[in-house]
Amino acid sequence: MSEKIPATVITGFLGAGKTSLIRNLIENSDGRKIALIINEFGDLGVDGEILKGCGNENCTEDDIVELANGCICCTVADDFLPTIQKLLDRDIRPDHIIVETSGLALPKPLVRAFGWPEVRTQVTVDGVVTVIDGPAYRDGLFAANPAAVQAQREADENLDHDSPLEELFDDQLNCADLIIFNKADLLDETSISAATATLKGRVRSSVKMLLSSHGKVDARVLLGLGAAAEDDLAARPSVHDDADDHEHDDFESFVLDIGEITSPEALVSKLEAAISAHNILRVKGFIAVAGKDMRMVLQGVGNRLQHYFDRDWEDGETRVSKLVIIGEHDMDQAAVTRLITT
Protein backbone atom coordinates (compact mmCIF):
# COMPACT_ATOMS: atom_id res chain seq x y z
CA MET A 1 0.00 0.00 0.00
CA SER A 2 1.23 3.48 -0.81
CA GLU A 3 2.17 5.88 1.97
CA LYS A 4 -0.59 7.81 3.67
CA ILE A 5 -1.16 11.34 2.38
CA PRO A 6 -0.36 13.86 5.13
CA ALA A 7 -3.05 16.42 5.95
CA THR A 8 -2.59 19.64 7.89
CA VAL A 9 -5.55 21.21 9.67
CA ILE A 10 -5.19 24.99 9.97
CA THR A 11 -7.49 26.54 12.54
CA GLY A 12 -7.70 29.87 14.29
CA PHE A 13 -10.21 32.52 15.13
CA LEU A 14 -11.78 34.94 12.66
CA GLY A 15 -9.17 37.13 10.99
CA ALA A 16 -6.15 35.50 12.62
CA GLY A 17 -4.36 35.18 9.27
CA LYS A 18 -5.06 31.60 8.18
CA THR A 19 -5.50 32.51 4.51
CA SER A 20 -2.27 34.54 4.44
CA LEU A 21 -0.43 31.59 5.98
CA ILE A 22 -1.82 29.20 3.36
CA ARG A 23 -1.09 31.55 0.48
CA ASN A 24 2.53 31.82 1.59
CA LEU A 25 2.66 28.04 1.98
CA ILE A 26 1.39 27.49 -1.57
CA GLU A 27 3.93 29.90 -3.01
CA ASN A 28 6.76 28.14 -1.15
CA SER A 29 5.66 24.52 -1.29
CA ASP A 30 8.97 23.13 -2.58
CA GLY A 31 7.24 21.42 -5.50
CA ARG A 32 4.61 19.60 -3.46
CA LYS A 33 1.21 19.26 -5.14
CA ILE A 34 -1.21 20.66 -2.57
CA ALA A 35 -4.96 20.27 -2.36
CA LEU A 36 -6.94 22.77 -0.30
CA ILE A 37 -10.27 22.35 1.46
CA ILE A 38 -11.54 25.78 2.46
CA ASN A 39 -14.43 26.16 4.90
CA GLU A 40 -16.05 29.56 5.46
CA PHE A 41 -18.76 30.93 7.73
CA GLY A 42 -20.97 32.99 5.43
CA ASP A 43 -22.23 32.79 1.86
CA LEU A 44 -19.43 34.73 0.14
CA GLY A 45 -16.31 32.64 -0.48
CA VAL A 46 -13.68 35.30 0.13
CA ASP A 47 -10.82 33.09 1.31
CA GLY A 48 -11.19 30.66 -1.57
CA GLU A 49 -11.24 33.48 -4.13
CA ILE A 50 -8.08 34.99 -2.66
CA LEU A 51 -6.26 31.65 -2.79
CA LYS A 52 -7.40 30.96 -6.34
CA GLY A 53 -5.57 34.13 -7.33
CA CYS A 54 -2.20 32.65 -6.40
CA GLY A 55 -1.67 31.21 -9.88
CA ASN A 56 0.64 28.47 -8.58
CA GLU A 57 0.99 25.38 -10.74
CA ASN A 58 1.26 23.15 -7.66
CA CYS A 59 -2.17 24.32 -6.42
CA THR A 60 -4.52 25.12 -9.27
CA GLU A 61 -8.17 26.15 -9.04
CA ASP A 62 -9.12 22.48 -9.47
CA ASP A 63 -7.16 21.70 -6.32
CA ILE A 64 -9.18 24.15 -4.21
CA VAL A 65 -12.46 22.88 -2.80
CA GLU A 66 -14.76 25.32 -1.01
CA LEU A 67 -17.28 24.30 1.63
CA ALA A 68 -19.15 27.56 2.18
CA ASN A 69 -21.97 28.64 4.46
CA GLY A 70 -21.51 25.98 7.09
CA CYS A 71 -19.21 24.79 9.82
CA ILE A 72 -17.04 21.92 8.67
CA CYS A 73 -17.00 20.41 12.17
CA CYS A 74 -20.80 20.04 11.98
CA THR A 75 -21.00 18.60 8.46
CA VAL A 76 -18.23 15.99 8.56
CA ALA A 77 -20.29 13.12 7.16
CA ASP A 78 -22.22 15.15 4.58
CA ASP A 79 -19.51 17.43 3.24
CA PHE A 80 -16.00 16.75 4.48
CA LEU A 81 -15.66 12.98 4.05
CA PRO A 82 -17.05 12.95 0.48
CA THR A 83 -14.63 15.76 -0.39
CA ILE A 84 -11.67 13.80 0.97
CA GLN A 85 -12.81 10.74 -0.98
CA LYS A 86 -12.94 12.73 -4.24
CA LEU A 87 -9.34 13.84 -3.69
CA LEU A 88 -8.29 10.25 -3.02
CA ASP A 89 -10.04 9.00 -6.17
CA ARG A 90 -8.07 11.31 -8.47
CA ASP A 91 -5.67 9.78 -10.97
CA ILE A 92 -2.96 12.08 -9.62
CA ARG A 93 -3.28 12.37 -5.88
CA PRO A 94 -2.10 15.41 -3.96
CA ASP A 95 1.17 15.22 -2.04
CA HIS A 96 -0.38 17.09 0.87
CA ILE A 97 -3.89 18.15 1.88
CA ILE A 98 -4.48 21.46 3.68
CA VAL A 99 -7.78 22.00 5.47
CA GLU A 100 -8.58 25.60 6.45
CA THR A 101 -11.41 25.57 8.96
CA SER A 102 -13.89 28.34 9.51
CA GLY A 103 -12.90 30.70 12.30
CA LEU A 104 -15.92 29.36 14.22
CA ALA A 105 -15.10 25.66 13.81
CA LEU A 106 -14.00 23.22 16.47
CA PRO A 107 -10.92 21.36 15.19
CA LYS A 108 -11.31 18.16 17.23
CA PRO A 109 -14.40 16.74 15.44
CA LEU A 110 -12.58 17.27 12.17
CA VAL A 111 -9.46 15.48 13.40
CA ARG A 112 -11.67 12.65 14.66
CA ALA A 113 -13.10 12.26 11.15
CA PHE A 114 -9.67 11.25 9.88
CA GLY A 115 -10.02 8.15 12.06
CA TRP A 116 -12.97 6.91 10.01
CA PRO A 117 -12.06 3.50 8.44
CA GLU A 118 -12.37 4.67 4.84
CA VAL A 119 -9.99 7.56 5.49
CA ARG A 120 -7.43 6.47 8.12
CA THR A 121 -5.82 3.85 5.86
CA GLN A 122 -5.03 6.52 3.26
CA VAL A 123 -4.64 9.87 5.08
CA THR A 124 -3.05 10.95 8.36
CA VAL A 125 -3.26 14.27 10.19
CA ASP A 126 0.30 15.52 9.96
CA GLY A 127 -0.53 18.27 12.45
CA VAL A 128 -3.00 20.84 13.69
CA VAL A 129 -1.77 24.40 13.28
CA THR A 130 -3.56 27.12 15.25
CA VAL A 131 -3.07 30.68 14.04
CA ILE A 132 -3.48 33.48 16.60
CA ASP A 133 -4.02 37.17 15.93
CA GLY A 134 -1.30 38.60 18.19
CA PRO A 135 -2.74 42.10 18.74
CA ALA A 136 -6.23 40.68 19.33
CA TYR A 137 -4.91 38.25 21.94
CA ARG A 138 -2.96 41.03 23.64
CA ASP A 139 -6.13 43.12 23.83
CA GLY A 140 -8.12 40.25 25.32
CA LEU A 141 -10.48 40.19 22.36
CA PHE A 142 -10.69 36.40 22.29
CA ALA A 143 -9.61 35.64 25.83
CA ALA A 144 -12.12 36.31 28.59
CA ASN A 145 -10.92 38.17 31.67
CA PRO A 146 -11.93 36.06 34.71
CA ALA A 147 -11.51 38.97 37.11
CA ALA A 148 -13.78 41.19 35.05
CA VAL A 149 -16.41 38.46 34.74
CA GLN A 150 -16.35 37.95 38.51
CA ALA A 151 -16.76 41.68 39.06
CA GLN A 152 -19.77 41.70 36.71
CA ARG A 153 -21.28 38.71 38.47
CA GLU A 154 -21.02 40.44 41.81
CA ALA A 155 -22.59 43.58 40.39
CA ASP A 156 -25.47 41.89 38.55
CA GLU A 157 -26.49 38.28 39.17
CA ASN A 158 -28.70 38.31 36.07
CA LEU A 159 -25.84 38.75 33.63
CA ASP A 160 -25.02 35.95 31.20
CA HIS A 161 -21.41 34.97 31.81
CA ASP A 162 -21.06 32.40 29.05
CA SER A 163 -18.18 33.10 26.67
CA PRO A 164 -18.59 31.17 23.39
CA LEU A 165 -15.55 32.97 21.96
CA GLU A 166 -13.42 31.80 24.86
CA GLU A 167 -14.63 28.22 24.48
CA LEU A 168 -13.78 28.23 20.77
CA PHE A 169 -10.37 29.70 21.46
CA ASP A 170 -9.63 27.11 24.16
CA ASP A 171 -10.59 24.26 21.83
CA GLN A 172 -8.36 25.62 19.08
CA LEU A 173 -5.44 25.89 21.50
CA ASN A 174 -6.03 22.48 23.07
CA CYS A 175 -6.02 20.71 19.71
CA ALA A 176 -2.86 22.38 18.38
CA ASP A 177 0.49 20.80 17.61
CA LEU A 178 1.93 24.13 16.47
CA ILE A 179 0.81 27.66 17.32
CA ILE A 180 1.56 30.52 14.95
CA PHE A 181 1.52 33.83 16.84
CA ASN A 182 0.76 35.99 13.83
CA LYS A 183 0.96 39.76 13.21
CA ALA A 184 3.92 39.97 15.57
CA ASP A 185 5.13 42.98 13.59
CA LEU A 186 2.27 44.98 15.14
CA LEU A 187 3.49 44.39 18.70
CA ASP A 188 6.52 45.46 20.71
CA GLU A 189 8.81 42.95 22.42
CA THR A 190 7.24 43.47 25.84
CA SER A 191 3.74 42.71 24.55
CA ILE A 192 4.97 39.66 22.65
CA SER A 193 6.76 38.27 25.69
CA ALA A 194 3.75 38.76 27.96
CA ALA A 195 1.28 37.29 25.46
CA THR A 196 3.34 34.24 24.53
CA ALA A 197 4.07 33.51 28.19
CA THR A 198 0.36 33.31 29.00
CA LEU A 199 -0.26 31.20 25.90
CA LYS A 200 2.40 28.67 26.88
CA GLY A 201 0.65 28.30 30.21
CA ARG A 202 -2.57 27.29 28.43
CA VAL A 203 -1.28 24.53 26.12
CA ARG A 204 0.41 21.13 26.34
CA SER A 205 4.14 21.27 26.96
CA SER A 206 4.79 19.54 23.63
CA VAL A 207 3.12 22.31 21.62
CA LYS A 208 5.57 24.53 19.77
CA MET A 209 5.05 28.24 19.13
CA LEU A 210 6.38 30.48 16.37
CA LEU A 211 6.16 34.21 15.75
CA SER A 212 5.16 35.33 12.28
CA SER A 213 4.20 38.42 10.31
CA HIS A 214 1.78 38.28 7.37
CA GLY A 215 1.63 34.48 7.77
CA LYS A 216 5.17 33.97 6.49
CA VAL A 217 6.34 30.64 7.90
CA ASP A 218 8.72 28.22 6.19
CA ALA A 219 6.89 25.23 4.64
CA ARG A 220 9.56 22.96 6.11
CA VAL A 221 8.34 24.01 9.56
CA LEU A 222 4.60 23.82 8.86
CA LEU A 223 4.63 20.50 7.02
CA GLY A 224 6.14 17.26 8.23
CA LEU A 225 5.11 17.51 11.89
CA GLY A 226 4.26 13.80 11.90
CA ALA A 227 1.75 14.19 14.72
CA ALA A 228 -0.77 11.51 13.59
CA ALA A 229 -3.28 13.60 15.51
CA GLU A 230 -6.17 11.23 14.77
CA ASP A 231 -4.49 8.71 17.11
CA ASP A 232 -3.89 11.27 19.86
CA LEU A 233 -7.38 12.63 20.55
CA ALA A 234 -7.32 11.92 24.29
CA ALA A 235 -4.49 14.44 24.71
CA ARG A 236 -6.58 17.15 23.03
CA PRO A 237 -9.38 18.00 25.49
CA SER A 238 -12.39 20.02 24.37
CA VAL A 239 -15.04 21.79 26.39
CA HIS A 240 -17.50 20.22 23.93
CA ASP A 241 -16.36 16.61 24.48
CA ASP A 242 -19.52 15.72 26.40
CA ALA A 243 -21.90 17.69 24.21
CA ASP A 244 -24.28 15.91 21.85
CA ASP A 245 -23.86 18.57 19.19
CA HIS A 246 -22.03 21.80 18.49
CA GLU A 247 -24.14 24.80 17.55
CA HIS A 248 -23.34 28.26 16.30
CA ASP A 249 -26.39 30.04 17.63
CA ASP A 250 -24.06 32.51 19.33
CA PHE A 251 -22.95 33.87 15.95
CA GLU A 252 -24.54 35.03 12.74
CA SER A 253 -23.46 36.44 9.39
CA PHE A 254 -24.95 38.24 6.43
CA VAL A 255 -23.74 39.46 3.05
CA LEU A 256 -24.06 43.15 2.27
CA ASP A 257 -24.08 44.39 -1.35
CA ILE A 258 -22.93 48.02 -1.23
CA GLY A 259 -22.42 48.76 -4.92
CA GLU A 260 -19.44 50.50 -6.51
CA ILE A 261 -17.72 52.96 -4.18
CA THR A 262 -15.75 56.12 -4.87
CA SER A 263 -13.59 56.27 -1.74
CA PRO A 264 -12.06 53.34 0.16
CA GLU A 265 -11.26 55.70 3.02
CA ALA A 266 -14.91 56.72 3.37
CA LEU A 267 -15.97 53.06 3.42
CA VAL A 268 -13.41 52.26 6.12
CA SER A 269 -14.72 55.15 8.24
CA LYS A 270 -18.27 53.83 7.97
CA LEU A 271 -17.13 50.32 8.85
CA GLU A 272 -15.20 51.59 11.86
CA ALA A 273 -18.35 53.30 13.11
CA ALA A 274 -20.43 50.14 12.62
CA ILE A 275 -17.84 47.94 14.33
CA SER A 276 -17.64 50.33 17.25
CA ALA A 277 -21.42 50.48 17.70
CA HIS A 278 -22.32 46.80 17.19
CA ASN A 279 -21.10 43.29 17.96
CA ILE A 280 -19.13 42.84 14.73
CA LEU A 281 -16.29 40.32 14.93
CA ARG A 282 -15.14 40.09 11.32
CA VAL A 283 -15.57 41.89 7.99
CA LYS A 284 -14.26 40.64 4.65
CA GLY A 285 -15.14 40.98 1.02
CA PHE A 286 -14.45 42.34 -2.46
CA ILE A 287 -15.02 45.94 -3.53
CA ALA A 288 -15.37 47.68 -6.89
CA VAL A 289 -13.84 51.16 -6.78
CA ALA A 290 -14.87 53.73 -9.38
CA GLY A 291 -12.05 54.52 -11.78
CA LYS A 292 -9.99 51.47 -10.73
CA ASP A 293 -9.42 48.47 -13.00
CA MET A 294 -8.45 46.25 -10.08
CA ARG A 295 -10.57 44.46 -7.48
CA MET A 296 -10.12 45.62 -3.91
CA VAL A 297 -10.00 43.12 -1.06
CA LEU A 298 -11.13 44.38 2.34
CA GLN A 299 -10.37 42.49 5.56
CA GLY A 300 -11.15 43.43 9.13
CA VAL A 301 -10.93 41.87 12.57
CA GLY A 302 -12.12 43.78 15.58
CA ASN A 303 -11.55 47.46 14.86
CA ARG A 304 -8.54 46.85 12.60
CA LEU A 305 -9.24 47.12 8.87
CA GLN A 306 -6.98 46.74 5.86
CA HIS A 307 -7.57 46.88 2.13
CA TYR A 308 -5.51 46.22 -0.99
CA PHE A 309 -5.97 45.58 -4.72
CA ASP A 310 -5.34 41.93 -5.61
CA ARG A 311 -6.07 41.56 -9.35
CA ASP A 312 -7.72 43.13 -12.39
CA TRP A 313 -11.42 42.63 -12.94
CA GLU A 314 -11.67 40.03 -15.71
CA ASP A 315 -13.40 40.66 -19.05
CA GLY A 316 -17.10 39.96 -18.65
CA GLU A 317 -16.82 39.74 -14.86
CA THR A 318 -19.45 41.71 -12.96
CA ARG A 319 -17.91 44.43 -10.81
CA VAL A 320 -19.53 43.83 -7.45
CA SER A 321 -18.97 45.14 -3.94
CA LYS A 322 -19.97 42.57 -1.35
CA LEU A 323 -19.00 42.24 2.30
CA VAL A 324 -19.49 39.39 4.73
CA ILE A 325 -20.36 40.76 8.17
CA ILE A 326 -19.91 38.27 11.04
CA GLY A 327 -20.99 39.08 14.55
CA GLU A 328 -22.62 37.83 17.71
CA HIS A 329 -26.20 36.58 17.59
CA ASP A 330 -27.78 39.82 18.79
CA MET A 331 -26.20 41.93 16.05
CA ASP A 332 -28.66 44.50 14.66
CA GLN A 333 -28.30 43.81 10.94
CA ALA A 334 -30.57 46.66 9.90
CA ALA A 335 -28.63 49.21 11.93
CA VAL A 336 -25.29 47.87 10.68
CA THR A 337 -26.56 48.11 7.09
CA ARG A 338 -27.66 51.73 7.56
CA LEU A 339 -24.29 52.75 9.00
CA ILE A 340 -22.37 51.21 6.12
CA THR A 341 -24.59 52.14 3.17
CA THR A 342 -25.75 55.68 4.00
Side-chain angles (χ1 to χ4, degrees), residues 173-248:
L173 288 180
N174 290 339
C175 203
D177 296 294
L178 175 67
I179 291 175
I180 305 297
F181 190 84
N182 197 30
K183 307 181 186 179
D185 55 310
L186 302 179
L187 300 175
D188 58 32
E189 291 186 8
T190 301
S191 296
I192 291 174
S193 296
T196 54
T198 61
L199 278 170
K200 288 176 181 177
R202 300 178 65 166
V203 300
R204 308 188 309 278
S205 60
S206 60
V207 177
K208 305 301 182 184
M209 188 180 307
L210 294 175
L211 303 181
S212 72
S213 300
H214 308 289
K216 294 182 178 179
V217 179
D218 196 314
R220 294 172 297 179
V221 176
L222 284 175
L223 308 183
L225 297 177
E230 70 275 16
D231 296 328
D232 189 29
L233 289 172
R236 304 164 191 266
S238 166
V239 297
H240 298 90
D241 278 340
D242 298 326
D244 294 331
D245 199 1
H246 163 56
E247 299 180 353
H248 293 115

Side-chain angles (χ1 to χ4, degrees), residues 25-139:
L25 176 61
I26 292 172
E27 294 173 349
N28 299 279
S29 60
D30 294 329
R32 295 181 181 88
K33 183 169 182 59
I34 293 177
L36 296 176
I37 300 175
I38 308 297
N39 181 221
E40 295 200 59
F41 189 85
D43 294 322
L44 187 63
V46 178
D47 295 351
E49 276 295 315
I50 292 173
L51 291 168
K52 287 175 182 176
C54 289
N56 190 290
E57 62 182 10
N58 292 316
C59 185
T60 66
E61 287 196 24
D62 291 338
D63 297 316
I64 300 175
V65 181
E66 294 179 79
L67 303 177
N69 198 30
C71 171
I72 198 171
C73 66
C74 300
T75 59
V76 166
D78 294 334
D79 294 329
F80 176 67
L81 290 175
T83 298
I84 287 288
Q85 193 59 55
K86 287 180 181 178
L87 293 177
L88 296 176
D89 290 342
R90 289 185 174 185
D91 292 335
I92 301 178
R93 289 184 165 192
D95 298 317
H96 205 109
I97 298 171
I98 304 292
V99 183
E100 180 192 353
T101 71
S102 154
L104 299 178
L106 304 177
K108 189 171 180 178
L110 182 59
V111 174
R112 185 181 292 114
F114 283 92
W116 286 40
E118 58 266 52
V119 175
R120 70 176 296 117
T121 58
Q122 303 180 74
V123 185
T124 182
V125 182
D126 183 59
V128 178
V129 178
T130 296
V131 186
I132 292 176
D133 182 321
Y137 182 76
R138 175 203 58 189
D139 296 339

Side-chain angles (χ1 to χ4, degrees), residues 292-311:
K292 298 290 186 181
D293 294 329
M294 299 187 74
R295 182 180 72 175
M296 190 179 89
V297 178
L298 189 142
Q299 301 265 15
V301 57
N303 60 1
R304 289 180 289 109
L305 295 161
Q306 63 171 332
H307 56 85
Y308 59 90
F309 293 96
D310 71 329
R311 64 166 176 81

Side-chain angles (χ1 to χ4, degrees), residues 283-295:
V283 178
K284 57 182 177 179
F286 303 113
I287 305 296
V289 181
K292 298 290 186 181
D293 294 329
M294 299 187 74
R295 182 180 72 175

